[in-house]
Every structure is written in C-alpha cells, then in structure tokens.
C-alpha cells in the first residue's frame, strides 16, 4: 500500500484490512505544544485555528489511558495469545471481554490488537513464506442478529475477497478459512459477539 493510499486515522472504520493495517501501523498522534496564554494571543487567526484543531484531535484521541485494569487485561490477553503457540491439533484459547457499556471494551481490545499486529509484523515480516500479505489480526464488528453466513461474509469483506457477494454459508466459511490461512491470521477480534445468533 503506497503512502498516498493510506487512509487518514480519523477516517477509519476498521472494517477492512487496509483500515486495520493503517490503524495498527500509523504513528501515534503527537501532542501539540503547550502554549501560554500570551503565546496563544499572539497567534495569527489561521495559526490559532490550526492549533485549536490539533488540540481537539489530540483530546478526542488521547487514549487509551494505561490504567491498572487495562494493564491487567492486556497481561491476561498476552498470556492467552502466547499460550496458543501449540501445534494445530490442539485447542486454542479464546477470550470474551465483558463490561458495562462505555467502559472501553472495544478501545482496550483494539489497543491490544494493534500491539499484537506490530509484534507479528516485526517478528515475521509483512509477507508470508508463500508471498501472501501477512494480516495478523482480523477485526469484524457485528450488528444485531448476525448469523454465521453474515459473519463469514463480513470476514470476507474485511479481506476484500471477491467471493463475498454470493455463496452458501459453507462456501463462505471455506473462503474465510483460505483467507485466514493464506494471510497467517493469528488473532480474530469479533466486536460485539453477543449479536451472533
């Protein structure tokens, strides 16, 4: 993906691999300089508008804050993910993160997924041994009454698979499995799993 085609961080829906990759690989926002009242007053109109916009974007995207609860959740997630290094014939662990609305479930898990993506790319490179794009994380957001066919279709949409429009549940499932194996997906994040029928 060229730099020109990378979406801006504030335009991402994270529903496509390109969006998630841009989210995971984009640099962290830099904090605007702290200006004194006198410095603020001395800014020209356009410079003040630019500075205020930078501050709004900084404050809107300041998190996640590394609270003890977030650190504990991430430690647990790393333990579970790292214990999944066993061979393919063994069951893999899964995690369900549950909390009241507005407490940061999605934000916490996305912060972990971002770190996981970065670690996998650093360790294994951007391409698999077969030359496929390495996509360590598949993130899918679910909505009300999502069935297996809809889940598989959403996963195919994430990968940009051309076969996302037509097929049976089983066909979609096989296509998803092919994408997951070809792209060496190691972590699947299903946001709002409770919507799955």
């Amino acid at each position: 993906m060229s730099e020109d085609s990378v979406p801006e961080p504030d335009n991402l829906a994270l529903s496509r691999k390109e969006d998630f990759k841009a989210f995971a690989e984009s640099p962290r926002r830099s904090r605007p300089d702290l200006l004194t009242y006198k410095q603020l007053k001395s800014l020209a109109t356009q410079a003040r508008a630019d500075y205020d916009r930078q501050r709004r974007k900084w404050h809107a995207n300041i998190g996640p804050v590394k609270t003890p609860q977030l650190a504990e959740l991430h430690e647990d997630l790393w333990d579970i993910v790292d214990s999944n290094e066993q061979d393919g014939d063994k069951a893999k662990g899964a995690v369900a993160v549950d909390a009241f609305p507005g407490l940061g479930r999605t934000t916490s898990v996305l912060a972990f997924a971002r770190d996981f993506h970065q670690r996998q790319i650093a360790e294994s490179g951007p391409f698999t041994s077969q030359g496929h794009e390495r996509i360590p994380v598949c993130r899918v957001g679910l909505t009300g009454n999502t069935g297996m066919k809809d889940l598989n279709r959403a996963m195919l949409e994430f990968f940009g698979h051309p076969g996302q429009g037509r097929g049976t549940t089983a066909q979609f499932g096989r296509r998803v499995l092919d994408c997951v194996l070809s792209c060496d997906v190691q972590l699947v994040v299903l946001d709002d799993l409770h919507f799955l029928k």
Side-chain angles (χ1 to χ4, degrees):
M1 181 176 354
S2 74
E3 270 188 45
D4 294 338
S5 65
V6 175
E8 289 295 317
D10 55 352
N11 291 327
L12 301 178
L14 303 183
S15 59
R16 301 176 309 151
K17 65 179 179 165
E18 295 84 5
D19 291 345
F20 190 85
K21 183 176 180 179
F23 161 76
E25 295 178 1
S26 65
R28 306 284 182 176
R29 289 191 183 273
S30 54
R31 181 180 182 172
D33 294 333
L34 293 175
L35 301 181
T36 65
Y37 181 74
K38 186 176 180 179
Q39 290 171 316
L40 283 172
K41 283 296 202 186
S42 69
L43 291 175
T45 304
Q46 187 58 49
R48 177 63 188 259
D50 292 342
Y51 181 73
D52 287 344
R53 184 175 55 255
Q54 289 174 1
R55 288 179 55 221
R56 284 192 307 273
K57 286 194 174 220
W58 169 255
H59 286 110
N61 296 285
I62 205 166
V65 177
K66 296 277 186 178
T67 63
Q69 294 86 354
L70 179 68
E72 185 177 340
L73 172 64
H74 282 194
E75 183 178 336
D76 289 345
L77 292 174
W78 281 118
D79 287 345
I80 292 164
V81 167
D82 288 343
S83 71
N84 283 340
E85 292 286 332
Q86 69 269 40
D87 294 333
D89 63 332
K90 308 213 175 34
K92 304 287 186 185
V95 179
V97 177
D98 189 23
F100 289 112
L103 294 180
R105 290 180 312 241
T106 298
T107 302
S108 300
V109 172
L110 286 177
F112 174 80
R114 178 184 187 146
D115 293 344
F116 182 81
H117 172 94
Q118 292 173 351
R119 183 180 83 170
Q120 292 301 111
I121 296 298
E123 288 179 357
S124 303
F127 297 99
T128 68
S129 58
Q130 293 81 29
H132 299 289
E133 182 180 12
R134 184 177 312 282
I135 305 171
V137 177
C138 174
R139 184 263 176 205
V140 176
L142 304 181
T143 57
N145 286 332
T146 302
M148 285 307 297
K149 187 172 186 177
D150 296 324
L151 171 61
N152 288 335
R153 182 180 289 129
M155 291 179 79
L156 290 173
E157 287 174 9
F158 177 85
F159 290 106
H161 193 284
Q164 64 188 331
R166 186 176 289 214
T168 65
T169 302
Q171 289 170 327
F172 284 165
R174 283 192 296 276
R175 292 173 195 153
V176 167
L177 180 60
D178 181 54
C179 289
V180 165
L181 294 175
S182 296
C183 298
D184 196 24
V185 173
Q186 300 293 312
L187 178 65
V188 176
V189 175
L190 301 177
D191 200 0
D192 288 325
L193 180 63
H194 61 277
F195 285 129
L196 186 62
K197 286 194 278 187

